[in-house]
């Protein structure tokens, strides 16, 4: 089927990161520094993305500040008319470098926080002093005149302080906060039993968000991503496979979604070998689940087939062993019991921490 033009590109500049968050959804096998795309490669990708119709560029990682050419990449994005959003831990960027990014044309900063309790935040991040450094970084963002979004990944270890996170984001000068429950891919899947909330807490969280939106109206925008495993219907993952966005990994593979490499048998083309337009249009991976022709029952005849597009292919793969199955989150899925089982398994208190390199810039 023909593909509409994408409007967003997630550029995973590096997998190097100073943190070791137990909910990290990056692959268990990270791309090495030696395999990362060169500066010229990324600049060409940005130009091709602009020509393809992309408007939003999300600069991510790992920690994108581990790239010494970050300012040059931001300037290239600006030249090609891309709205650039830096998704960062805030670790590794001082005020001078942040000001240089703003001068180069950076449009927006999205800062992650782990909790409002400094001790627990540092424990989750796997780095002492990280919460203090993030707060200081947020102040720098507003000082240089860049709009700030706070991002908080929610799980059993911090869900009780969701309201405090919103208040902290307002205090830090953020215009928006994204409260997103953990997506169980990569290291997060390893830590599912420590991260997943109880049903009562997951239900209460939605009511809390509604109250927070009313209380903070006009001061901050709250985006909320509810927990998949407690939902009645799946979310429209990526608003449909290969419909609106694409990811480029540090070594140049182009993916329909962040976790697509967890699906065996898909062939991912590389920007070193083909243009972004050719990959978007013709890649077997992008065409594998585009549209609705690939769907099985009950999705094929369901009135929701172009609302949630069958849900998440990676989740279907992870929980049922077949990416063509209906996302088992859906109550209409014949495999819904797989999700019900996961929400009732005994919880554990300790995280399995991902190894953090001694120097993020040398991975």
């Amino acid at each position: 089927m023909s593909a509409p033009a994408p409007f967003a590109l997630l550029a995973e500049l590096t997998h190097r990161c100073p943190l070791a968050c137990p909910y990290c959804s990056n692959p268990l096998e990270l791309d090495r520094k030696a395999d990362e795309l060169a500066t010229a490669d990324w600049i060409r990708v940005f130009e091709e993305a602009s020509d393809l119709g992309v408007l939003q560029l999300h600069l991510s990682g790992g920690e994108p500040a581990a790239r010494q050419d970050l300012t040059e990449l931001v300037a290239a994005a600006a030249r090609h008319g891309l709205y650039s959003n830096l998704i960062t831990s805030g670790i590794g960027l001082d005020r001078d470098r942040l000001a240089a990014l703003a001068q180069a044309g950076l449009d927006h900063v999205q800062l992650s926080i782990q909790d409002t309790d400094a001790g627990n935040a540092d424990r989750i991040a796997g780095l002492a002093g990280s919460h203090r450094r993030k707060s200081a970084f947020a102040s720098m963002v507003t000082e240089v005149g860049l709009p700030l979004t706070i991002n908080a990944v929610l799980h059993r270890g911090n869900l009780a302080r969701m309201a405090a996170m919103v208040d902290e984001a307002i205090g830090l000068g953020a215009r928006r906060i994204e409260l997103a429950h953990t997506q169980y891919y990569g290291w997060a899947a390893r830590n599912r039993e420590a991260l997943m909330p109880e049903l009562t807490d997951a239900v209460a969280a939605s009511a809390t968000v509604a109250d927070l939106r009313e209380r903070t109206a006009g001061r901050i925008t709250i985006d909320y991503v509810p927990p998949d495993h407690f939902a009645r219907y799946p979310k429209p993952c990526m608003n449909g496979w290969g419909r609106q966005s694409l990811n480029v990994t540090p070594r140049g593979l182009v993916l329909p979604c962040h976790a697509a490499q967890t699906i065996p048998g898909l062939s991912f083309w590389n920007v070193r070998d083909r243009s972004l337009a050719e990959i978007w249009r013709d890649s077997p991976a992008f065409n594998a689940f585009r549209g609705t022709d690939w769907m099985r029952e009950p999705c094929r005849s369901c009135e929701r087939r172009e609302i949630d597009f069958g849900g998440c292919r990676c989740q279907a793969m992870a929980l049922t062993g077949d990416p063509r199955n209906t996302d088992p989150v859906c109550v209409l899925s014949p495999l819904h019991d797989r999700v019900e089982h996961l929400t009732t398994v005994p919880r554990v208190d300790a995280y399995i921490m991902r190894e953090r390199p001694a120097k993020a810039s040398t991975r």
Side-chain angles (χ1 to χ4, degrees):
M1 64 170 294
S2 60
F7 72 82
L9 168 67
L10 177 66
E12 298 174 354
L13 300 180
T14 181
H15 279 156
R16 291 172 280 155
C17 186
L19 305 185
C21 303
Y23 54 73
C24 182
S25 59
N26 275 334
L28 297 179
E29 183 63 35
L30 301 177
D31 290 348
R32 310 294 295 186
K33 179 183 179 183
D35 297 327
E36 292 174 5
L37 293 177
T39 306
D41 292 325
W42 277 117
I43 292 175
R44 176 177 55 79
V45 168
F46 296 167
E47 180 179 7
E48 292 180 356
S50 178
D51 292 342
L52 189 56
V54 168
L55 301 175
Q56 297 179 0
L57 173 65
H58 302 284
L59 302 168
S60 180
E63 173 47 61
R67 294 275 306 211
Q68 296 304 305
D69 59 355
L70 182 58
T71 302
E72 186 176 353
L73 295 179
V74 166
R79 285 198 306 273
H80 293 297
L82 299 172
Y83 179 95
S84 57
N85 172 41
L86 179 66
I87 304 173
T88 178
S89 68
I91 308 297
L93 278 170
D94 58 23
R95 193 186 188 287
D96 288 344
R97 195 171 178 210
L98 184 61
L101 290 170
Q103 183 65 32
L106 183 66
D107 292 297
H108 185 270
V109 173
Q110 185 170 328
L111 172 67
S112 66
I113 64 169
Q114 281 66 38
D115 201 340
T116 54
D117 177 273
N120 195 47
D122 291 352
R123 182 176 76 94
I124 294 169
L127 181 65
S130 62
H131 184 71
R132 171 184 52 79
R133 294 169 70 179
K134 286 170 179 285
S135 297
F137 176 78
S139 297
M140 296 178 202
V141 173
T142 57
E143 285 172 9
V144 302
L146 287 168
L148 173 66
T149 288
I150 296 295
N151 178 71
V153 176
L154 301 175
H155 49 84
R156 192 162 66 94
N158 64 11
L159 188 58
R161 287 175 292 280
M162 185 167 57
M165 292 182 202
V166 173
D167 290 337
E168 181 170 278
I170 293 172
L172 292 173
R175 302 179 185 178
R176 174 177 166 267
I177 183 170
E178 179 182 294
L179 301 168
H181 283 262
T182 301
Q183 304 296 301
Y184 295 101
Y185 307 112
W187 216 255
R190 293 277 184 95
N191 281 299
R192 190 194 312 268
E193 293 174 5
L195 295 169
M196 186 175 291
E198 302 292 345
L199 172 60
T200 53
D201 295 328
V203 172
S206 294
T208 298
V209 169
D211 291 341
L212 286 169
R213 283 173 171 160
E214 183 176 355
R215 176 168 68 82
T216 62
R219 291 189 289 163
I220 194 168
T221 298
I222 301 175
D223 291 336
Y224 180 59
V225 180
D228 287 356
H229 292 63
F230 300 98
R232 181 171 175 81
Y233 298 112
K235 65 180 182 295
C237 190
M238 307 305 293
N239 287 312
W241 183 280
R243 289 184 71 245
Q244 296 184 346
S245 60
L246 63 170
N247 294 23
V248 180
T249 71
R251 61 191 175 103
L253 297 180
V254 186
L255 314 179
C257 77
H258 180 73
Q261 287 174 280
T262 62
I263 299 177
L266 293 183
S267 176
F268 301 105
W269 291 354
N270 197 299
V271 294
R272 288 186 169 114
D273 306 317
R274 293 177 168 90
S275 72
L276 206 60
E278 182 184 2
I279 296 172
W280 173 256
R281 183 183 65 246
D282 299 328
S283 164
F286 276 86
N287 286 316
F289 305 110
R290 227 175 214 148
T292 59
D293 290 346
W294 61 270
M295 290 181 176
R296 297 171 176 168
E297 295 294 352
C299 291
R300 180 177 287 272
S301 59
C302 181
E303 62 183 12
R304 296 181 57 86
R305 65 184 177 276
E306 294 189 13
I307 298 174
D308 55 37
F309 300 97
C312 178
R313 297 303 88 224
C314 302
Q315 193 154 257
M317 178 65 216
L319 299 185
T320 75
D322 189 337
R324 294 185 178 274
N325 285 334
T326 302
D327 186 335
V329 162
C330 184
V331 294
L332 303 176
S333 169
L335 299 170
H336 183 63
D337 62 320
R338 308 285 179 94
V339 171
E340 292 179 324
H341 168 72
L342 290 174
T343 62
T344 58
V345 296
R347 305 294 193 256
V348 299
D349 293 325
Y351 303 127
I352 303 170
M353 299 301 287
R354 179 175 59 81
E355 180 183 355
R356 179 172 58 86
K359 293 184 178 179
S361 61
T362 60
R363 175 171 277 274

